[in-house]
Amino acid sequence: MRVGLDVGGTKTDAVAVAPSGDIVARLRRPTGWGPDAVARTITDVVAALAAEPGMESERISSVGVGIPGQVEPGTTRVVHAVNLGVDDLDLAAAVGPRLGVPVQVENDVKAAALGADAIHRAAGREVASMAYLNLGTGVAAGIVADGVLWRGSRGAAGEVGHIPVDLHGPVCRCGQRGCVEALAGGGAIAARWREAPYPVLDVFDAADAGDQRARELRAGLASGVAAAIRVLVLTADVDTVVLGGGLTALGDRLLDDIRAELRTAAAASAFMRSLHLDERVEVLPVGSPAAALGAAIVGATRDPEEVLAHG
Amino acid sequence: MRVGLDVGGTKTDAVAVAPSGDIVARLRRPTGWGPDAVARTITDVVAALAAEPGMESERISSVGVGIPGQVEPGTTRVVHAVNLGVDDLDLAAAVGPRLGVPVQVENDVKAAALGADAIHRAAGREVASMAYLNLGTGVAAGIVADGVLWRGSRGAAGEVGHIPVDLHGPVCRCGQRGCVEALAGGGAIAARWREAPYPVLDVFDAADAGDQRARELRAGLASGVAAAIRVLVLTADVDTVVLGGGLTALGDRLLDDIRAELRTAAAASAFMRSLHLDERVEVLPVGSPAAALGAAIVGATRDPEEVLAHG
């Protein structure tokens, strides 16, 4: 039984995956803050998962962890996981001895890309290549081709959130102007909008009610996501772009905006129309365990280089 | 002995490559216009190459052809090679019977990417992944990782020339506004400048002489190329971006502009500075047989899927 964990800023999602690929147990727990608490969260969640119904007689063979931070290529060392209060931590060293099984670590968006690809395959909708585009506080992507994660040479693969797409756009937290994330990141939108429990949802509602500022922010979100999709297809030519992350809770309201933006932008270009970008975008079902499932796949990879085949 | 041809709009460059990877013969001939003349050019050039000194006793085992047009994935069918007067032609069917050896066909920029990678390896400067960015009449890229060409799912991989990077930029021949190619394509620059034998060189000279319009065009060229480099690194995270194509005859005048633009654009962003993009760009030596060499590599690949490993 392979275990995969998606360690998020507030909660940790864990799955146990049978050799068949089926998810046989799943649970969520709050995530602790700081290196020690994050390590304890991981070992506690794995223990709780092992005690779930149907897991009593099962042996856990590996643990994979998806984490919102940079993972040093070829290692299990996490750096700059600011939402977890972790600056620098060798996660396998921290939890491996207590778990007693091999532990692998991957960036959570890259893990979710592998998981989204596995979900496609399990549903009989295998594609040669896909990008998973995460729309949360920030914007980042993971690319999977033939079931293999594209990691790149220095860990910047999929960082499409920081590609400037509007020279006159808002300043991004990265310091550049008009980045995809400055337009489409939930954090950037919230910072330019009023206080609200769900700021991006509030922007959508206010835009529907006719608020001009909200309409601009909403249009910027669609244009930023559309730009990221164009970049992913015109660079890596992925077959499908799967959207996930907190903002996709908006469902069809978001997807309809993005598809309309892709169609409008392509209207003047036969070349762009020939790519049918609007038909190549889809949304991961809300609550899908893509990141945890992808982490389980990473965890079962003995040699980390196997998932690093391209870099 | 593997033979590779780079069939250009005006001339065809051909090389014979020994099993060691060394180029043992090379020649150039004018390219004919239209499907029949292009096929005849290819068979004539291969015959001429076979008659070169040192080739008399050698057997040609395969022929690869790089061509400025779309090649239907997994086939040897060329479509929309407008600079050759070829609209739709199965090139292997057209020349294979006369050549009597296996023939493979690849887009010329993608072939040049494989060749540039091979040149790096031969020089002992192997990198895990690279992009070859062709700056000619148009702008397009090829991506190679671990020696394998990334072809993508539907033939759009590397079409970074048509990613819009300035919403207020000039209209591109593709119909969109502010594409990389609208800023940095030799054809687009020439169309917005006065008649001259070498329009982009003339723009550089006029800019040095203080002409304001020339300065804007020259700055646009640097900003378009810099945008393409950012896209390639922040999506595929290639280790190195190798520039080639006609515009690179400008040499350091072009490269210095691009590096300065990358440094200026990164000045406000610690994240972008950490990527050291200015140090990851280089120019293919003028006259390098990268495309012909890459075509020879493609030609020696029995199963076209081998160079299509990623999609």
Side-chain angles (χ1 to χ4, degrees), chain A residues 3-81:
Chain A
V3 165
L5 274 67
D6 173 22
V7 179
T10 54
K11 62 179 183 352
T12 291
D13 188 17
V15 295
V17 183
S20 65
D22 291 339
I23 292 173
V24 293
R26 181 180 184 187
L27 57 76
R28 289 201 185 88
R29 289 281 187 280
T31 303
W33 173 261
D36 294 344
V38 165
R40 203 174 319 117
T41 299
I42 291 169
T43 52
D44 287 356
V45 165
V46 173
L49 201 65
E52 284 284 289
M55 290 287 291
E56 301 86 348
S57 61
E58 298 290 344
R59 197 182 66 82
I60 292 172
S61 55
S62 64
V63 171
V65 181
I67 201 152
Q70 289 175 36
V71 179
E72 296 273 305
T75 76
T76 54
R77 190 172 152 226
V78 179
V79 292
H80 307 315

Coordinates of all heavy atoms in Angstrom, one line a residue, chain A residues 3-81:
Chain A
V3 N 1.3 5.3 0.4 CA 0.6 6.4 1.0 C 1.1 7.7 0.4 O 2.3 7.9 0.1 CB 0.9 6.4 2.5 CG1 0.5 7.8 3.2 CG2 0.0 5.3 3.2
G4 N 0.2 8.6 0.1 CA 0.5 10.0 -0.4 C -0.1 11.0 0.5 O -1.3 10.9 0.9
L5 N 0.6 12.1 0.7 CA 0.1 13.2 1.6 C 0.3 14.5 0.8 O 1.3 14.8 0.2 CB 1.0 13.3 2.9 CG 0.6 12.5 4.1 CD1 0.8 11.0 3.8 CD2 1.4 12.9 5.3
D6 N -0.8 15.3 0.9 CA -0.7 16.7 0.3 C -0.7 17.6 1.6 O -1.8 17.8 2.2 CB -1.9 16.9 -0.6 CG -2.1 18.3 -1.0 OD1 -1.1 19.1 -1.0 OD2 -3.2 18.7 -1.4
V7 N 0.4 18.1 1.9 CA 0.6 18.9 3.1 C 0.3 20.4 2.7 O 1.1 21.0 2.2 CB 2.0 18.8 3.7 CG1 2.1 19.7 5.0 CG2 2.3 17.3 4.1
G8 N -0.9 20.8 3.0 CA -1.3 22.2 2.7 C -1.1 23.1 3.9 O -0.8 22.7 5.0
G9 N -1.3 24.4 3.6 CA -1.1 25.4 4.6 C -2.0 25.3 5.8 O -1.6 25.6 6.9
T10 N -3.2 24.8 5.6 CA -4.2 24.6 6.7 C -4.5 23.2 7.0 O -4.6 22.8 8.2 CB -5.5 25.4 6.4 OG1 -6.0 24.9 5.2 CG2 -5.3 26.9 6.4
K11 N -4.6 22.4 6.0 CA -4.9 21.0 6.2 C -4.0 20.0 5.4 O -3.4 20.4 4.4 CB -6.4 20.7 6.0 CG -6.8 20.9 4.5 CD -8.2 20.6 4.3 CE -8.6 20.7 2.9 NZ -7.7 21.3 1.9
T12 N -3.9 18.8 5.9 CA -3.1 17.8 5.2 C -4.1 16.7 4.7 O -4.9 16.2 5.5 CB -2.1 17.2 6.1 OG1 -1.1 18.2 6.3 CG2 -1.4 16.0 5.5
D13 N -4.0 16.4 3.4 CA -4.9 15.4 2.8 C -4.1 14.1 2.6 O -2.9 14.2 2.1 CB -5.4 16.0 1.5 CG -6.4 15.2 0.8 OD1 -7.1 14.3 1.4 OD2 -6.6 15.4 -0.4
A14 N -4.6 13.0 3.0 CA -3.8 11.8 2.9 C -4.6 10.7 2.2 O -5.8 10.5 2.5 CB -3.3 11.3 4.3
V15 N -3.9 9.9 1.4 CA -4.6 8.7 0.7 C -3.7 7.5 0.8 O -2.5 7.6 0.9 CB -4.9 9.0 -0.8 CG1 -5.9 10.1 -0.9 CG2 -3.7 9.3 -1.6
A16 N -4.4 6.4 0.9 CA -3.7 5.1 0.8 C -4.1 4.5 -0.6 O -5.3 4.4 -0.9 CB -4.0 4.1 1.9
V17 N -3.1 4.1 -1.4 CA -3.4 3.7 -2.7 C -2.9 2.2 -2.9 O -1.8 1.8 -2.6 CB -2.6 4.5 -3.8 CG1 -2.9 4.1 -5.2 CG2 -2.9 6.0 -3.5
A18 N -3.9 1.4 -3.4 CA -3.6 0.0 -3.6 C -2.7 -0.2 -4.8 O -2.7 0.7 -5.7 CB -4.9 -0.8 -3.7
P19 N -2.1 -1.4 -5.0 CA -1.3 -1.6 -6.2 C -2.1 -1.4 -7.5 O -1.6 -1.0 -8.5 CB -0.9 -3.1 -6.1 CG -0.8 -3.3 -4.6 CD -2.0 -2.5 -4.0
S20 N -3.4 -1.6 -7.4 CA -4.3 -1.4 -8.6 C -4.4 0.1 -8.9 O -4.9 0.4 -10.0 CB -5.7 -1.9 -8.2 OG -6.3 -1.1 -7.2
G21 N -4.0 1.0 -8.0 CA -4.2 2.4 -8.3 C -5.4 2.9 -7.6 O -5.6 4.1 -7.5
D22 N -6.3 2.0 -7.0 CA -7.5 2.5 -6.3 C -7.1 3.1 -5.0 O -6.2 2.7 -4.3 CB -8.4 1.3 -6.1 CG -9.1 0.8 -7.3 OD1 -9.1 1.6 -8.3 OD2 -9.5 -0.3 -7.4
I23 N -7.8 4.2 -4.6 CA -7.7 4.8 -3.3 C -8.5 4.0 -2.3 O -9.8 4.0 -2.5 CB -8.1 6.3 -3.4 CG1 -7.1 7.1 -4.2 CG2 -8.2 6.9 -2.0 CD1 -7.4 8.5 -4.5
V24 N -7.9 3.4 -1.3 CA -8.7 2.6 -0.4 C -9.0 3.3 0.9 O -9.8 2.8 1.7 CB -8.0 1.2 -0.2 CG1 -7.9 0.4 -1.4 CG2 -6.5 1.4 0.3
A25 N -8.3 4.3 1.2 CA -8.5 5.1 2.4 C -8.1 6.5 2.2 O -7.2 6.8 1.4 CB -7.8 4.5 3.6
R26 N -8.8 7.5 2.9 CA -8.5 8.9 2.7 C -8.9 9.6 4.0 O -10.0 9.3 4.5 CB -9.2 9.5 1.5 CG -8.9 10.9 1.3 CD -9.6 11.5 0.1 NE -9.2 12.9 -0.1 CZ -9.8 13.7 -1.0 NH1 -10.8 13.3 -1.8 NH2 -9.4 15.0 -1.1
L27 N -8.1 10.5 4.4 CA -8.5 11.4 5.6 C -7.8 12.7 5.5 O -6.8 12.9 4.8 CB -8.3 10.7 6.9 CG -6.9 10.2 7.3 CD1 -6.0 11.3 7.7 CD2 -7.0 9.2 8.4
R28 N -8.3 13.7 6.3 CA -7.7 15.0 6.3 C -7.5 15.4 7.8 O -8.3 15.1 8.6 CB -8.7 16.0 5.7 CG -8.8 16.0 4.2 CD -9.4 17.3 3.7 NE -9.6 17.3 2.2 CZ -10.8 16.9 1.7 NH1 -11.8 16.4 2.5 NH2 -10.9 16.9 0.4
R29 N -6.4 16.1 8.0 CA -6.1 16.6 9.4 C -5.6 18.0 9.3 O -5.0 18.4 8.2 CB -5.0 15.7 10.0 CG -5.4 14.3 10.4 CD -6.2 14.3 11.7 NE -6.4 13.0 12.2 CZ -7.4 12.2 11.8 NH1 -8.2 12.6 10.8 NH2 -7.6 11.0 12.3
P30 N -5.7 18.8 10.3 CA -5.1 20.2 10.3 C -3.6 20.0 10.2 O -3.0 19.1 10.7 CB -5.5 20.8 11.6 CG -6.6 19.9 12.2 CD -6.4 18.6 11.6
T31 N -2.9 21.0 9.5 CA -1.4 21.0 9.4 C -0.8 21.8 10.5 O -1.3 22.9 10.8 CB -1.0 21.5 8.1 OG1 -1.6 20.8 7.0 CG2 0.5 21.5 7.9
G32 N 0.2 21.3 11.2 CA 0.9 22.1 12.2 C 1.8 23.2 11.5 O 2.0 23.2 10.3
W33 N 2.3 24.1 12.4 CA 3.1 25.2 11.9 C 4.5 25.1 12.3 O 4.8 24.8 13.5 CB 2.5 26.5 12.4 CG 3.4 27.7 12.1 CD1 4.3 28.3 13.0 CD2 3.4 28.5 10.9 NE1 4.9 29.4 12.3 CE2 4.4 29.5 11.1 CE3 2.8 28.3 9.7 CZ2 4.7 30.4 10.0 CZ3 3.1 29.3 8.7 CH2 4.0 30.3 8.8
G34 N 5.4 25.2 11.3 CA 6.9 25.1 11.7 C 7.4 23.7 11.4 O 6.6 22.7 11.3
P35 N 8.7 23.5 11.3 CA 9.3 22.2 10.9 C 8.9 21.1 11.8 O 8.5 20.0 11.3 CB 10.8 22.5 11.0 CG 11.0 23.9 11.3 CD 9.7 24.6 11.5
D36 N 9.0 21.2 13.1 CA 8.7 20.1 14.0 C 7.2 19.7 13.9 O 6.9 18.5 13.8 CB 9.0 20.5 15.5 CG 10.5 20.7 15.7 OD1 11.3 20.2 14.8 OD2 10.9 21.3 16.7
A37 N 6.3 20.7 13.9 CA 4.9 20.4 13.8 C 4.5 19.8 12.5 O 3.6 19.0 12.4 CB 4.1 21.7 14.1
V38 N 5.1 20.3 11.4 CA 4.9 19.7 10.1 C 5.3 18.2 10.0 O 4.5 17.3 9.6 CB 5.6 20.5 8.9 CG1 5.6 19.7 7.6 CG2 4.9 21.8 8.7
A39 N 6.5 17.9 10.6 CA 6.9 16.5 10.6 C 6.0 15.7 11.5 O 5.6 14.6 11.1 CB 8.4 16.5 11.2
R40 N 5.5 16.2 12.6 CA 4.6 15.5 13.5 C 3.3 15.3 12.8 O 2.7 14.2 12.9 CB 4.4 16.2 14.8 CG 3.9 15.3 15.9 CD 3.9 16.0 17.3 NE 5.0 16.9 17.5 CZ 5.0 18.2 17.6 NH1 3.8 18.8 17.6 NH2 6.1 18.9 17.8
T41 N 2.8 16.3 12.1 CA 1.6 16.1 11.3 C 1.7 14.9 10.3 O 0.8 14.1 10.3 CB 1.3 17.4 10.4 OG1 1.1 18.5 11.3 CG2 0.0 17.2 9.6
I42 N 2.8 14.8 9.7 CA 3.0 13.8 8.7 C 3.0 12.4 9.3 O 2.3 11.5 8.9 CB 4.3 14.0 7.9 CG1 4.2 15.2 7.0 CG2 4.7 12.8 7.1 CD1 5.5 15.7 6.4
T43 N 3.7 12.2 10.4 CA 3.8 10.9 11.1 C 2.4 10.6 11.7 O 2.0 9.4 11.6 CB 4.9 10.8 12.1 OG1 4.8 12.0 13.0 CG2 6.3 10.9 11.4
D44 N 1.8 11.6 12.3 CA 0.4 11.3 12.9 C -0.6 10.9 11.8 O -1.4 10.0 12.0 CB -0.1 12.6 13.6 CG 0.7 12.8 14.9 OD1 1.5 12.0 15.3 OD2 0.4 13.9 15.6
V45 N -0.6 11.6 10.7 CA -1.5 11.3 9.6 C -1.3 9.9 9.1 O -2.3 9.2 8.8 CB -1.5 12.4 8.5 CG1 -2.2 12.0 7.3 CG2 -2.1 13.7 9.0
V46 N 0.0 9.6 8.9 CA 0.2 8.2 8.4 C -0.2 7.2 9.4 O -0.9 6.2 9.0 CB 1.7 8.0 8.1 CG1 2.0 6.6 7.7 CG2 2.2 9.0 6.9
A47 N 0.0 7.4 10.7 CA -0.5 6.5 11.7 C -2.0 6.4 11.7 O -2.6 5.3 11.8 CB 0.0 6.9 13.1
A48 N -2.7 7.5 11.6 CA -4.2 7.5 11.5 C -4.7 6.8 10.3 O -5.7 6.1 10.4 CB -4.7 9.0 11.5
L49 N -4.0 7.0 9.2 CA -4.4 6.3 8.0 C -4.3 4.8 8.1 O -5.1 4.0 7.6 CB -3.6 6.8 6.8 CG -4.1 6.7 5.4 CD1 -5.4 7.5 5.2 CD2 -3.1 7.1 4.4
A50 N -3.2 4.4 8.8 CA -3.0 3.0 9.0 C -4.0 2.3 9.8 O -4.2 1.1 9.8 CB -1.6 2.8 9.6
A51 N -4.7 3.2 10.7 CA -5.8 2.7 11.6 C -7.1 2.7 10.9 O -8.1 2.4 11.6 CB -5.7 3.5 12.9
E52 N -7.2 3.2 9.7 CA -8.5 3.3 9.0 C -9.1 1.9 8.7 O -8.3 1.0 8.6 CB -8.4 4.1 7.7 CG -8.2 5.6 7.9 CD -9.5 6.3 8.2 OE1 -10.4 6.3 7.3 OE2 -9.7 6.7 9.3
P53 N -10.4 1.9 8.6 CA -11.1 0.6 8.3 C -10.5 0.0 7.0 O -10.3 0.7 6.0 CB -12.5 0.9 8.1 CG -12.7 2.2 8.8 CD -11.4 2.9 8.8
G54 N -10.2 -1.3 7.0 CA -9.6 -1.9 5.8 C -8.1 -1.8 5.7 O -7.5 -2.4 4.8
M55 N -7.5 -1.0 6.6 CA -6.0 -0.8 6.5 C -5.3 -1.7 7.5 O -4.1 -1.8 7.5 CB -5.7 0.6 6.7 CG -6.1 1.6 5.6 SD -5.0 1.4 4.1 CE -3.5 2.0 4.8
E56 N -6.0 -2.3 8.5 CA -5.4 -3.0 9.6 C -4.4 -4.0 9.1 O -3.3 -4.1 9.7 CB -6.4 -3.7 10.5 CG -7.5 -2.8 11.1 CD -8.7 -2.6 10.1 OE1 -8.6 -3.0 8.9 OE2 -9.7 -2.1 10.6
S57 N -4.7 -4.8 8.1 CA -3.8 -5.9 7.7 C -2.9 -5.5 6.6 O -2.1 -6.3 6.1 CB -4.7 -7.1 7.3 OG -5.4 -6.7 6.2
E58 N -2.9 -4.2 6.2 CA -2.1 -3.8 5.1 C -0.8 -3.2 5.6 O -0.6 -2.6 6.6 CB -2.8 -2.6 4.3 CG -4.2 -3.1 3.7 CD -4.0 -4.0 2.5 OE1 -2.8 -4.1 2.0 OE2 -4.9 -4.7 2.2
R59 N 0.2 -3.4 4.7 CA 1.6 -2.9 5.0 C 1.8 -1.7 4.1 O 1.5 -1.7 2.9 CB 2.6 -4.0 4.7 CG 4.0 -3.7 5.3 CD 5.0 -4.8 4.9 NE 5.3 -4.7 3.4 CZ 6.1 -3.9 2.9 NH1 6.8 -3.0 3.6 NH2 6.4 -3.9 1.6
I60 N 2.2 -0.6 4.8 CA 2.6 0.6 4.0 C 4.0 0.5 3.5 O 4.9 0.2 4.2 CB 2.4 1.9 4.9 CG1 1.0 2.1 5.2 CG2 3.0 3.1 4.2 CD1 0.7 3.2 6.3
S61 N 4.1 0.5 2.1 CA 5.4 0.3 1.5 C 6.2 1.6 1.2 O 7.4 1.5 1.1 CB 5.2 -0.5 0.2 OG 4.3 0.2 -0.6
S62 N 5.5 2.7 1.1 CA 6.2 3.9 0.8 C 5.3 5.1 1.2 O 4.1 5.0 1.3 CB 6.6 4.0 -0.6 OG 5.4 4.1 -1.4
V63 N 5.9 6.2 1.5 CA 5.2 7.5 1.7 C 5.8 8.6 0.8 O 7.0 8.8 0.7 CB 5.3 7.9 3.2 CG1 4.8 9.3 3.4 CG2 4.6 6.9 4.1
G64 N 4.8 9.2 0.1 CA 5.2 10.4 -0.7 C 4.6 11.6 -0.1 O 3.4 11.6 0.3
V65 N 5.3 12.7 -0.1 CA 4.7 14.0 0.4 C 4.8 15.1 -0.6 O 5.9 15.4 -1.2 CB 5.6 14.4 1.7 CG1 5.0 15.7 2.3 CG2 5.6 13.3 2.7
G66 N 3.6 15.7 -0.8 CA 3.6 16.9 -1.7 C 3.5 18.1 -0.8 O 2.8 18.1 0.2
I67 N 4.3 19.1 -1.1 CA 4.5 20.2 -0.1 C 4.6 21.5 -0.9 O 5.2 21.6 -1.9 CB 5.7 19.9 0.8 CG1 5.7 20.7 2.1 CG2 7.0 20.1 0.0 CD1 6.4 20.0 3.2
P68 N 3.9 22.6 -0.3 CA 3.9 23.9 -1.0 C 5.2 24.6 -0.8 O 5.3 25.6 0.0 CB 2.7 24.6 -0.4 CG 2.6 24.1 1.0 CD 3.1 22.6 0.9
G69 N 6.3 24.2 -1.4 CA 7.6 24.9 -1.3 C 8.5 24.3 -2.4 O 8.1 23.4 -3.1
Q70 N 9.7 24.8 -2.5 CA 10.6 24.3 -3.4 C 11.2 23.0 -2.8 O 11.6 23.0 -1.7 CB 11.8 25.3 -3.7 CG 11.4 26.5 -4.5 CD 12.5 27.5 -4.5 OE1 13.7 27.1 -4.6 NE2 12.2 28.8 -4.5
V71 N 11.4 22.0 -3.7 CA 12.1 20.8 -3.3 C 13.4 20.8 -4.1 O 13.4 20.8 -5.3 CB 11.3 19.5 -3.5 CG1 12.1 18.3 -3.1 CG2 10.0 19.6 -2.7
E72 N 14.5 20.7 -3.4 CA 15.8 20.7 -4.1 C 15.9 19.5 -5.0 O 15.6 18.4 -4.6 CB 17.0 20.7 -3.1 CG 17.1 21.9 -2.2 CD 17.9 23.0 -2.8 OE1 19.1 22.7 -3.2 OE2 17.4 24.1 -2.9
P73 N 16.2 19.8 -6.3 CA 16.1 18.7 -7.3 C 16.9 17.4 -6.8 O 18.1 17.6 -6.4 CB 16.7 19.3 -8.6 CG 16.4 20.7 -8.4 CD 16.5 21.1 -7.0
G74 N 16.3 16.3 -6.9 CA 17.0 15.0 -6.6 C 17.1 14.8 -5.1 O 17.8 13.8 -4.7
T75 N 16.5 15.6 -4.3 CA 16.7 15.4 -2.8 C 15.3 15.4 -2.2 O 14.3 15.5 -2.9 CB 17.5 16.5 -2.2 OG1 16.6 17.7 -2.1 CG2 18.7 16.9 -2.9
T76 N 15.2 15.3 -0.9 CA 14.0 15.4 -0.1 C 14.0 16.7 0.7 O 13.3 16.8 1.7 CB 13.8 14.1 0.8 OG1 15.0 14.0 1.6 CG2 13.6 12.9 -0.1
R77 N 14.8 17.6 0.3 CA 15.0 18.8 1.1 C 14.0 19.9 0.6 O 14.0 20.3 -0.5 CB 16.4 19.3 0.9 CG 16.8 20.4 1.9 CD 18.3 20.7 1.8 NE 18.6 22.1 2.1 CZ 19.3 22.9 1.4 NH1 20.0 22.5 0.4 NH2 19.5 24.2 1.8
V78 N 13.2 20.4 1.6 CA 12.2 21.5 1.3 C 12.8 22.8 1.7 O 13.3 23.0 2.8 CB 10.9 21.2 2.1 CG1 9.9 22.3 1.8 CG2 10.4 19.8 1.8
V79 N 12.7 23.8 0.8 CA 13.1 25.2 1.2 C 12.0 26.1 0.8 O 11.2 25.9 -0.1 CB 14.4 25.6 0.5 CG1 15.6 24.8 1.0 CG2 14.3 25.5 -1.0
H80 N 11.9 27.2 1.6 CA 11.0 28.3 1.4 C 9.5 27.8 1.3 O 8.8 28.3 0.4 CB 11.3 29.0 0.1 CG 12.7 29.5 0.0 ND1 13.3 30.1 1.1 CD2 13.6 29.5 -1.0 CE1 14.6 30.4 0.7 NE2 14.8 30.0 -0.5
A81 N 9.1 26.9 2.2 CA 7.7 26.6 2.3 C 7.1 27.5 3.3 O 6.8 27.2 4.5 CB 7.6 25.1 2.8

